[in-house]
Amino acid sequence: MSTTPPASTAPASPPTVIGVPAPQEDVDAIVAFVAGVQHAQRNALPDAFREDAIWTTAHGKRLTGLPEISAFTRKVLPPQADSPVTATYAVDLILFVRPDVAAVKIRQRPVARDDGRFLDEIFHGQEDPSALMAAHPEAVPGTPTYVLAKDDGVWRIAAAQNTQVLDVETLTAG
């Protein structure tokens, strides 16, 4: 019996942190915040955004303000909560623009809910994954960027851009 946790629960490596100096507690808070976003996405809970936030979805839809973002996520997340596919969110890089503003690069990987398999691994090592991408769109990972603002000691999304990974070199490298 293996003691290794399923891929979807394996601990992520610590993020790269650049920019202005920031305390470790803010790095930890941002990593915890992103884990909360992962939980929210898996459980159809939409409210991690500031009231005045902007968000562009992976398919290019622009949403402005918490009411619009919440309405959209309440519409699309509940059907996904029953999907056999979910995603992990790992903080890859944090750029502290100011002590209270951070740009955060996320590695979003699709996983099977039943056994935690990373679905994007089918692309690794492929010379031309285009046919696989067309046949398995649920396996294409994402690469969100969040701009977080710290208001009254709480990190929230001020702006976000979610993008599917379609770059062949990035997709096939893993």
Side-chain angles (χ1 to χ4, degrees), residues 118-140:
F118 283 121
L119 302 179
D120 61 343
E121 289 181 350
I122 65 170
F123 304 119
H124 299 179
Q126 297 289 320
E127 192 171 310
D128 180 9
S130 57
L132 277 175
M133 291 166 64
H136 298 282
E138 77 286 352
V140 176

Side-chain angles (χ1 to χ4, degrees), residues 83-148:
S83 170
V85 177
T86 188
T88 61
Y89 292 64
V91 178
D92 186 45
L93 179 121
I94 302 171
L95 164 62
F96 282 97
V97 179
R98 301 186 327 211
D100 62 341
V101 176
V104 182
K105 196 70 202 139
I106 310 296
R107 183 171 188 206
Q108 181 185 41
R109 298 185 69 192
V111 296
R113 277 190 198 266
D114 61 353
D115 63 8
R117 283 176 300 113
F118 283 121
L119 302 179
D120 61 343
E121 289 181 350
I122 65 170
F123 304 119
H124 299 179
Q126 297 289 320
E127 192 171 310
D128 180 9
S130 57
L132 277 175
M133 291 166 64
H136 298 282
E138 77 286 352
V140 176
T143 180
T145 299
Y146 300 158
V147 177
L148 303 182

Side-chain angles (χ1 to χ4, degrees), residues 2 9 23-24 30 38 63 100 105 113 140-141 144-145 155:
S2 172
T9 60
Q24 184 62 42
I30 289 170
Q38 174 181 291
L63 304 167
D100 62 341
K105 196 70 202 139
R113 277 190 198 266
V140 176
T145 299
W155 290 98

Side-chain angles (χ1 to χ4, degrees), residues 10-86:
S13 57
T16 300
V17 179
I18 59 175
V20 301
Q24 184 62 42
E25 67 187 32
D26 280 330
V27 172
D28 295 342
I30 289 170
V31 169
F33 174 83
V34 170
V37 171
Q38 174 181 291
H39 173 79
Q41 292 290 309
R42 288 181 173 188
N43 294 284
L45 307 168
D47 298 323
F49 294 84
R50 289 170 41 115
E51 280 292 325
D52 57 353
I54 59 171
W55 176 32
T56 302
T57 70
H59 299 105
K61 182 171 184 66
R62 187 188 78 188
L63 304 167
T64 304
L66 185 56
E68 187 176 5
I69 293 167
S70 291
F72 175 81
T73 56
R74 281 189 174 90
K75 179 180 172 184
V76 301
L77 287 181
Q80 291 182 15
D82 294 328
S83 170
V85 177
T86 188

